[in-house]
Amino acid sequence: MSEPGVLPLPELSPLGTVALVTVLLFITSMIAGWMGTVHNPAIGNELLSLFQKEIAGQITLENPVDMCLKIFANNLEACILLFLGGATFGILTLLILSLNGIVIGAVSEIISKGHSVLFIAAAIVPHGIFEIPAFIIAAALGFCMAQALIAEWYGTADTATEAQRLARAFLLYVLPLIAVAAVVEAFITPAIIQIVA
């Protein structure tokens, strides 16, 4: 127990707690993207064209193996940035997580105007059940790293030791999830879209 008038020393939160907060942040940003597009469709159209140009345009390849490798590389880069963004006290992690949520929310709203809910689910769910948890876990690990940096200032944590533990978790959980997501997105999602289209 801390002395009166003295701030308590920060303690590290369990990964599960941080992951829950990360999920809530991601959902909030998706809702913000969706609502922003409902109120101003031009924003959603701009985000959709940016998504098509910067992300989808780079991974739409005829060869599914090449597509799989490109998707894996893109997702790995995003997850590494989410994780290492913790070194910026979580600012970069929060920015990347929020932008991804906003884009997903906005693009989903725009696509829903011309397609059924089934089509949208077919385009997102098969690989999204692996990809989105990978992003959430990578971001949560980044927030844990930020928390460790702050705790080290107070002498209650060792950031280097914590970073090693978090990196092991990244390799154990995030890497397999994005690998499976890439395979599903390249080989399975297009087939499901063709069935429901």
Side-chain angles (χ1 to χ4, degrees):
M1 188 164 174
S2 60
E3 298 174 23
V6 177
L7 290 174
L9 296 177
E11 296 179 13
L12 299 179
S13 299
L15 180 58
T17 303
V18 177
L20 179 61
V21 171
T22 305
V23 168
L24 294 175
L25 288 169
F26 185 69
I27 291 170
T28 301
S29 63
M30 282 179 58
I31 292 169
W34 175 74
M35 289 181 66
T37 302
V38 167
H39 293 296
N40 188 352
I43 293 172
N45 286 321
E46 196 169 315
L47 286 172
L48 178 61
S49 65
L50 179 68
F51 173 79
Q52 289 172 329
K53 178 183 167 192
E54 297 296 325
I55 299 169
Q58 293 181 10
I59 58 176
T60 304
L61 304 169
E62 289 185 20
N63 183 340
V65 174
D66 291 342
M67 184 177 165
C68 179
L69 293 173
K70 185 68 174 176
I71 291 167
F72 177 77
N74 283 350
N75 288 341
L76 179 60
E77 181 181 355
C79 287
I80 287 172
L81 287 172
L82 283 164
F83 174 46
L84 295 181
T88 65
F89 297 99
I91 295 168
L92 182 60
T93 301
L94 179 62
L95 181 64
I96 294 170
L97 180 73
S98 299
L99 286 174
N100 273 290
I102 288 168
V103 169
I104 290 171
V107 169
S108 295
E109 168 59 20
I110 292 295
I111 293 174
S112 72
K113 299 296 182 197
H115 296 284
S116 68
V117 173
L118 182 61
F119 178 87
I120 295 169
I124 295 174
V125 172
H127 62 275
I129 58 174
F130 303 104
E131 192 173 271
I132 293 172
F135 287 162
I136 297 295
I137 295 168
L141 293 170
F143 289 134
C144 286
M145 174 122 46
Q147 197 178 35
L149 280 170
I150 294 166
E152 185 170 39
W153 278 1
Y154 289 93
T156 60
D158 177 13
T159 304
T161 302
E162 188 65 9
Q164 289 177 358
R165 185 182 74 81
L166 296 172
R168 283 193 297 271
F170 184 93
L171 294 174
L172 184 63
Y173 299 112
V174 177
L175 210 53
L177 283 170
I178 59 174
V180 173
V183 170
V184 172
E185 189 169 358
F187 293 95
I188 298 171
T189 299
I192 294 173
I193 289 172
Q194 285 184 345
I195 291 169
V196 301

